[in-house]
């Protein structure tokens, strides 16, 4: 039961911890306001998905997650090339990483709901 509660509270705990870390070390100011909390939170959510899926189901869903994220990168690359006829590395990486955060958060929430149901 403790694992399930920890799994549900893990994103909130890491978000609050990152807010304090960003404020204490002034990371936004050091990176010229380019680094944001969701950019770092994505890494912690990926770690949480791996640990909790391995703990609950005895297999890791990390390979499937990497497959989804790779498909997202290929789709974004093709859309970039078809619509804009050029590839901008910075814009691609920024869009891909922000969409990765959204997909990671959705997968984490679905995994948490499946555990409680």
């Amino acid at each position: 039961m403790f694992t399930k509660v920890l799994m549900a509270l893990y994103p909130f705990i890491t978000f609050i911890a990152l807010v304090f870390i960003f404020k204490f070390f002034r990371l936004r100011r050091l990176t010229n306001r380019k680094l944001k909390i969701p950019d770092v939170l994505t890494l912690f959510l990926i770690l949480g998905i791996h640990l909790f899926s391995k703990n609950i189901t005895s297999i890791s869903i990390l390979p499937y997650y990497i497959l989804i994220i790779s498909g997202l990168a290929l789709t974004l690359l093709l859309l970039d090339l078809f619509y804009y006829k050029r590839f901008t590395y910075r814009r691609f990486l920024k869009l891909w990483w922000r969409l990765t955060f959204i997909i990671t958060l959705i997968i984490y929430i679905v995994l948490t709901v499946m555990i409680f149901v």
Side-chain angles (χ1 to χ4, degrees):
M1 184 65 183
F2 179 71
T3 307
K4 292 180 182 179
V5 172
L6 182 64
M7 183 178 171
L9 294 178
Y10 178 73
F12 301 113
I13 294 170
T14 54
F15 181 77
I16 292 169
L18 283 175
V19 167
F20 286 125
I21 290 171
F22 267 64
K23 290 210 184 269
F24 183 73
F25 291 111
R26 298 180 182 160
L27 292 177
R28 297 256 323 178
R29 190 174 299 152
L30 288 175
T31 60
N32 294 329
R33 305 201 187 285
K34 292 182 181 177
L35 185 65
K36 297 183 178 174
I37 293 174
D39 297 336
V40 179
L41 185 63
T42 304
L43 298 172
F44 288 106
L45 287 177
I46 293 170
L47 178 69
I49 286 174
H50 171 67
L51 292 176
F52 290 125
S53 69
K54 185 115 173 137
N55 191 11
I56 301 296
T57 63
S58 74
I59 62 167
S60 176
I61 63 168
L62 196 60
Y64 304 108
Y65 171 77
I66 291 173
L67 187 65
I68 291 170
I69 298 305
S70 299
L72 173 70
L74 286 174
T75 304
L76 286 176
L77 175 67
L78 289 175
L79 287 174
D80 238 7
L81 292 176
F82 283 136
Y83 284 120
Y84 299 115
K85 306 287 189 232
R86 64 188 174 122
F87 178 70
T88 308
Y89 188 67
R90 173 169 271 168
R91 186 182 68 208
F92 168 77
L93 270 182
K94 186 176 181 180
L95 180 64
W96 178 73
W97 192 249
R98 300 285 161 82
L99 287 175
T100 299
F101 169 70
I102 293 170
I103 290 173
T104 306
L105 190 63
I106 290 170
I107 289 174
Y108 195 90
I109 290 170
V110 167
L111 187 64
T112 306
V113 168
M114 284 176 45
I115 295 304
F116 282 112
V117 171

